[in-house]
Amino acid sequence: MTQPINTLEKRTLSKPCGIGLNNMCCKLCLMGPCQITKNKSTGVCGASLELIVARNILRFITGGASTHCGHALHVAKHLSKEIPDNYIAQKAPEYLYNRWKELGLLPHDQNAQHFIDISESLHLSTMGVDSDYQDVLKWCLKIALIDGYYGLALATDMEDQKIGKPKIKKASLNLGCIDPAKTNIAIHGHEPMLAMSIVEAAKNHPDINLVGVCCTGSTILAQAGIPLSAHFSLQEDVIATGVIDALVVDVHCIMPSVGKLCDCYHTQLITTNDLGRFPNALHMPVATEGQAKEIAEKIISIAKENRQNRNRQAEDLFQKTRPTPKEVAVGFSEYNIDIPHLAQQLSTGQKRGIIGVVGCVNPRAKDEWIAAYTKLSKDYIILTTGCMAFEFGKEELLDGEAIFHMGSCVNNYRIVEILKQISTILQKEIGELDCTISAPMPITEKSAAIGMFFAALGCDVHIGYPHSFASSDLVSTFLQNTLKDCFGNKLLFDETAKEFLTNFMPSTEQYQKD
Ligand code: BF8
């Protein structure tokens, strides 16, 4: 056995390139890369700082939309369903749909042609096509609508149709859910169709212990109560327990390091999606429901067989250091939360508003956010998803009374449905609800697309570390003004919880004092 590499928390992180971090590097042609750090200087082709920053933001968001729409497409194919036409018109509040139409933000809405818009977004942001940075930024909103409806909403709807609507339940969370006395299978990624087949198959195998990682993990946690062992930034630690007999991965947020890390232990890495490959992994692609059942049984056999290859020292060490799992309430959704009650809490002033705490846990960011949201939860309804939901769970704060676990990142659409229904009850627009979506430590392109989607709905949006969206004054001012004029909302770029509390509620001194 080779020596294990360090897990992310212990590894020294390479220093980020300051110019790239600020979106000021243009790599769109081979006359560059051009690093434009000052206003008025340009790239070799004449591209201004604001054009470079705007194109980089658009390409980042487009990457996110492609993954969410790809996710929804894969689920549709798995279930032999078509991508619906006019889906945005079906799902969105009418006043918003009409506003988006007037602003020219609506994408193609027939025959899955939103994928053409995704392609056109990359097209227009290549060198020498769209040189109007304001137009490029408007495309960010169009692509964000695609992300929200043909990605988040569609994936959530189809998964609910197949798996069933989530039910509120108690479950457990953290590395302590991994059981050294059993055969452990960790399921990691974002598309939960095979995962649910493994959950079903494992019911006949009492010696199998399933745990989830990242968003596939959040889905099987919410839908079936399968314990969630880790979020993105802790995924390597799952393997480093030494007692994972099979790691099953699909797509998104699977760190390339897990391949080598599995080699350091006995863990059998199994890839299940043709887009998500690792050298030396066992590749078992799953495209249909029938294949999923068959492959689920095979995976269970492989894991059982592989358990005998465990390193006993590693197993003993984990046995001694295994943390106690945390108890969490999960499975909240637009179907089982008492939405009229939430509306009443808002209308009577019992709660000031809603904060959606979403997105990733960036290891470069300061981890001080959970305490801040906990303070705010006295006055705000907190709805949380993805890796940030895990952070609340680690502190045993997912009680389903003040803080609600809403599922995976595509399940951010559940927050949208709740806002939509509250706004209908209160006869207000979503933008009038005092709703903020806070992504304090984003990592991925997906998180940027989600943030922009909520902005197009009228929510205030907070993006914490890093400041990539705010590096050009012209770009951030144009985005701020557009959102204010069109939807009445604002963008907050606070990198620390202290700044966020100060700017979020400047008149409420209590939050800054303690
Ligand atoms: O979609 S929160 S690191 S796991 S991108 Fe990824 Fe970010 Fe975690 Fe799920 Ni979401």
Side-chain angles (χ1 to χ4, degrees):
M1 192 178 81
T2 52
Q3 282 301 307
I5 59 173
N6 287 336
T7 54
L8 183 56
E9 280 207 328
K10 294 166 203 135
R11 194 153 64 217
T12 308
L13 302 178
S14 63
K15 205 164 176 268
C17 160
I19 294 167
L21 186 67
N22 283 309
N23 265 328
M24 292 169 163
C25 181
C26 181
K27 295 193 295 176
L28 293 178
C29 83
L30 298 178
M31 293 189 291
C34 294
Q35 299 180 329
I36 307 301
T37 53
K38 287 189 224 131
N39 275 328
K40 300 213 170 116
S41 58
T42 66
V44 174
C45 70
S48 60
L49 173 65
E50 55 273 16
L51 181 61
I52 289 169
V53 171
R55 286 194 306 213
N56 284 340
I57 293 175
L58 177 60
R59 287 186 154 235
F60 200 67
I61 288 175
T62 305
S66 73
T67 63
H68 286 140
C69 294
H71 173 164
L73 178 71
H74 294 168
V75 179
K77 282 189 174 164
H78 190 100
L79 302 177
S80 304
K81 286 183 180 275
E82 297 293 323
I83 302 286
D85 290 343
N86 302 317
Y87 195 58
I88 300 182
Q90 287 172 41
K91 304 290 286 184
E94 201 180 338
Y95 75 91
L96 270 177
Y97 185 84
N98 291 336
R99 196 166 303 160
W100 297 331
K101 193 171 180 182
E102 274 166 33
L103 293 166
L105 299 179
L106 286 176
H108 287 92
D109 210 5
Q110 306 278 323
N111 303 319
Q113 286 198 356
H114 57 283
F115 284 111
I116 291 181
D117 289 305
I118 288 175
S119 163
E120 293 288 58
S121 168
L122 291 176
H123 177 175
L124 74 91
S125 55
T126 53
M127 195 273 269
V129 183
D130 195 342
S131 293
D132 177 349
Y133 83 91
Q134 298 189 352
D135 189 63
V136 172
L137 292 172
K138 272 175 74 177
W139 267 81
C140 291
L141 290 166
K142 178 186 277 202
I143 296 297
L145 292 179
I146 293 174
D147 183 76
Y149 287 104
Y150 281 103
L152 312 182
L154 189 56
T156 298
D157 272 2
M158 284 191 300
E159 286 170 16
D160 281 355
Q161 281 169 32
K162 166 68 188 131
I163 305 168
K165 293 168 183 161
K167 295 194 177 73
I168 299 166
K169 60 185 83 61
K170 288 272 162 62
S172 55
L173 171 153
N174 78 11
L175 287 182
C177 302
I178 299 167
D179 185 351
K182 289 191 173 183
T183 298
N184 290 295
I185 301 176
I187 310 176
H188 180 7
H190 285 72
E191 296 178 6
M193 307 318 283
L194 170 65
M196 285 308 295
S197 294
I198 300 173
V199 170
E200 278 309 306
K203 287 178 182 165
N204 301 321
H205 298 268
D207 55 331
I208 291 285
N209 181 50
L210 297 182
V211 295
V213 184
C214 282
C215 280
T216 294
S218 287
T219 303
I220 57 179
L221 172 78
Q223 297 280 10
I226 301 299
L228 183 62
S229 58
H231 62 38
F232 171 87
S233 300
L234 302 171
Q235 60 186 281
E236 294 170 314
D237 295 33
V238 174
I239 304 159
T241 61
V243 294
I244 297 295
D245 304 299
L247 173 66
V248 182
V249 302
D250 51 77
V251 283
H252 312 164
C253 303
I254 301 147
M255 287 172 60
S257 63
V258 304
K260 277 195 186 147
L261 198 53
C262 285
D263 289 345
C264 293
Y265 293 89
H266 75 296
T267 303
Q268 177 63 59
L269 178 60
I270 301 172
T271 50
T272 61
N273 186 303
D274 277 336
L275 298 184
R277 303 291 297 265
F278 275 83
N280 304 328
L282 186 58
H283 188 51
M284 303 175 83
V286 177
T288 65
E289 190 65 1
Q291 283 173 341
K293 285 186 179 146
E294 196 184 312
I295 289 176
E297 287 295 349
K298 278 192 196 154
I299 286 171
I300 287 173
S301 304
I302 290 166
K304 284 186 179 187
E305 177 82 23
N306 194 32
R307 183 174 165 185
Q308 67 192 351
N309 297 321
R310 271 187 204 173
N311 177 304
R312 295 301 152 200
Q313 276 177 318
E315 188 181 66
D316 288 348
L317 182 63
F318 180 62
Q319 185 76 267
K320 285 184 196 130
T321 54
R322 183 184 176 196
T324 307
K326 306 286 183 182
E327 192 180 270
V328 289
V330 297
F332 294 94
S333 74
E334 65 276 35
Y335 305 111
N336 56 30
I337 282 186
D338 187 347
I339 295 174
H341 177 63
L342 297 189
Q344 193 193 23
Q345 286 181 308
L346 294 175
S347 66
T348 57
Q350 207 181 329
K351 293 282 182 184
R352 289 168 181 261
I354 297 169
I355 307 176
V357 182
V358 306
C360 326
V361 177
N362 190 324
R364 293 189 193 278
K366 290 195 183 124
D367 188 13
E368 53 185 12
W369 290 95
I370 293 303
Y373 299 125
T374 307
K375 281 182 200 167
L376 289 167
S377 70
K378 294 185 196 107
D379 294 316
Y380 287 82
I381 299 155
I382 307 274
L383 306 174
T384 181
T385 56
C387 291
M388 283 308 295
F390 185 92
E391 289 288 294
F392 284 108
K394 271 181 7 188
E395 306 301 325
E396 291 187 292
L397 294 166
L398 292 173
D399 57 1
E401 286 171 20
I403 303 174
F404 298 87
H405 186 290
M406 306 299 297
S408 67
C409 286
V410 293
N411 296 155
N412 275 311
Y413 188 71
R414 299 197 192 287
I415 299 178
V416 178
E417 272 299 316
I418 288 170
L419 297 178
K420 196 170 98 179
Q421 292 183 37
I422 291 176
S423 72
T424 305
I425 294 169
L426 298 180
Q427 298 182 314
K428 288 182 171 183
E429 294 190 359
I430 290 174
E432 294 169 328
L433 287 183
D434 196 351
C435 172
T436 302
I437 298 300
S438 178
M441 304 179 260
I443 296 175
T444 64
E445 296 164 318
K446 295 183 289 176
S447 57
I450 290 170
M452 197 58 83
F453 173 50
F454 277 104
L457 293 164
C459 301
D460 292 344
V461 174
H462 162 239
I463 299 169
Y465 174 90
H467 256 179
S468 312
F469 276 43
S471 51
S472 152
D473 290 344
L474 281 175
V475 166
S476 42
T477 305
F478 178 77
L479 272 177
Q480 311 259 22
N481 288 344
T482 304
L483 294 173
K484 193 167 166 226
D485 294 348
C486 301
F487 309 109
N489 53 348
K490 55 181 188 282
L491 282 176
L492 303 164
F493 296 113
D494 301 314
E495 284 199 1
T496 66
K498 196 168 178 207
E499 283 170 46
F500 177 65
L501 289 175
T502 307
N503 292 329
F504 187 65
M505 303 233 341
S507 59
T508 312
E509 287 167 7
Q510 83 208 44
Y511 296 120
Q512 293 130 44
K513 267 195 232 142
D514 14 85

